[in-house]
Amino acid sequence: MKKTDLINQFDSINADENTKDKIWNSISEKSVNAKPKLVRKSFIIAAAAACLLVCSMPVVANSIKSLLNEKYPETVVMQENIQKAVYESNDGHVKMTVDELLSDEMIVLMTVHYEAIDEKGKDWIANHKFESNIALISSRNAGFGIVPDMGDNTIIHGVNVSYNTEELTEYKTDTERWFLLHYEASSRDYDSAQGKFAYPMTTGVETVFIDTKGNVPVKTIELKKDEVPSEYYTPTHIELSKLSFVIYAMQHGVYETFSEPYHYGSRWILPDEEYEKIACFFVMENGEKIELEGGMNSTHPDEKNNYSDLVLLSNKLPENIDIETIVGLEINGVYYDLT
C-alpha cells in the first residue's frame, strides 16, 4: 500500500504494530488518528465531538494499592509521580473513581474502579458491557476510554493515538470491577494537556476532561550539529521522559501540504528508500547502542515544539532504560551529545 493512499482515510481502522511490543503484550491495542501519519503503520479516524463536562474533583482515597506498579513494573521507578485521588462520579447506584494517573502528556496510564452502592448498582455492575470504542464516545454517547482532547482544529492540534481499556478480571467481585486505561499519542502537540475521558454510569455515558499535563518530568534537549543525517530533514530537539521520547526536525521534502475545496491535508513525498534508511539509536554511557522504533508524522510548528514541522520519530521509551545513562543520540550515523 502506498503512503499516499493513507491520506483522508478517516473511516478505516487497522492494527498499529508499533504498539504491540513486550510492554503492552497483555493489551489488545486500538488506535485512532486525527491527522495523516507519515508511515504505513497508521490509520485515521475523524475527530471526537465536544465533551459534556469540564471539571474533576480529587476525592478518591489516597491509600489504594498501586495497580499501575503491579501491571507495569517499569512504572515502579515513577511511583512518587503517580497521582492519586484523581476523579469521582456517583449516581446513587454506582460509584466510579479514577484512582491513579501517570502521565508525561504523551503517554497516559490510568486505573478506574467501579463499586455498587445498592441493589440496582449491583445488578448493573454484574451485567454492564464496558465498550472501549472511542468512535462510539463521540458519535453515539457510548463507550469507555480516554483519548487526547484535540479540540475542533485537528489540522493544528491533531496527533496519532493508540488507546486501550482493559478490565482486571482477577479483581472482579459481585460489587466491584477494576480497569486499566491508557493512551499513547505520537507527540504532545495536541496542546490541550487534557484527556477526554468517557465512562458509563447507570444513567448513561458521561464525559469529562482529565488534566494530563504531566506528572512525569520531560527533558527537552537541543540537537546541534553542522553535519545533517539526511537532505530531507534536520533534527532540532528531543523530548525525553521515563515514559517516552519524541525527536523533532525540520523537513525538506518529507511531505507537502495541500488545500482543496472542503479539505486540507498533508501528502507524503519522501521516497520509500529514504524512509527505510532512517536509523536512530540511544547511545548509553557504557557504549551500548539501543535501536529506536516508532512512527514519523507531520506536525504544526509552534512555540511548544520549537517551531519544528516534523516528528521524525516518537514512541514509548524502550524497556529497562535509565534515561540518566543516555549520553547520546545517533541518527543515520550522526552523533548528538545529550549530556
Side-chain angles (χ1 to χ4, degrees), residues 299-313:
T299 191
H300 184 78
D302 59 23
E303 185 177 4
K304 187 173 182 179
N305 59 31
N306 293 323
Y307 299 97
S308 303
D309 61 4
L310 178 68
V311 172
L312 180 62
L313 200 66

Side-chain angles (χ1 to χ4, degrees), residues 45-76:
I45 197 167
C51 293
L52 303 178
L53 302 176
V54 293
C55 63
S56 62
M57 298 294 291
V59 292
V60 187
N62 282 307
S63 59
I64 63 171
K65 176 183 180 181
S66 177
L67 291 178
L68 290 183
N69 285 170
E70 180 178 327
K71 292 298 178 178
Y72 304 116
E74 66 272 19
T75 67
V76 171

Side-chain angles (χ1 to χ4, degrees), residues 76-181:
V76 171
V77 296
M78 294 167 270
Q79 187 172 9
E80 294 183 356
N81 301 110
I82 295 176
Q83 180 184 347
K84 305 287 185 68
V86 180
Y87 178 75
E88 179 180 309
S89 181
N90 187 324
D91 64 9
H93 303 294
V94 298
K95 180 173 71 172
M96 185 284 302
T97 56
V98 178
D99 291 341
E100 298 179 290
L101 175 70
L102 188 65
S103 167
D104 68 355
E105 197 176 337
M106 178 174 154
I107 292 180
V108 174
L109 304 171
M110 201 163 77
T111 60
V112 174
H113 176 215
Y114 278 85
E115 183 178 2
I117 297 173
D118 61 10
E119 285 301 316
K120 179 177 178 179
K122 185 176 179 180
D123 181 68
W124 186 89
I125 287 285
N127 297 294
H128 186 76
K129 294 181 179 179
F130 289 83
E131 298 179 291
S132 60
N133 191 331
I134 290 298
L136 294 179
I137 291 175
S138 61
S139 63
R140 302 191 193 109
N141 195 30
F144 180 33
I146 184 168
V147 293
D149 170 42
M150 292 177 273
D152 296 326
N153 190 348
T154 56
I155 296 299
I156 303 297
H157 303 299
V159 292
N160 297 284
V161 183
S162 65
Y163 74 96
N164 191 73
T165 299
E166 176 192 10
E167 180 167 8
L168 303 177
T169 55
E170 64 268 35
Y171 296 109
K172 182 178 179 181
T173 70
D174 291 341
T175 59
E176 295 179 280
R177 293 173 75 169
W178 297 81
F179 300 86
L180 286 175
L181 279 65

Side-chain angles (χ1 to χ4, degrees), residues 8 32-33 85 89 126 132 139 157 173 212 216 238 252 263 284 298:
N8 304 324
V32 294
N33 299 268
S89 181
S132 60
S139 63
H157 303 299
T173 70
T212 60
V216 176
I238 181 173
H252 316 296
H263 180 65
M284 314 305 290
S298 61

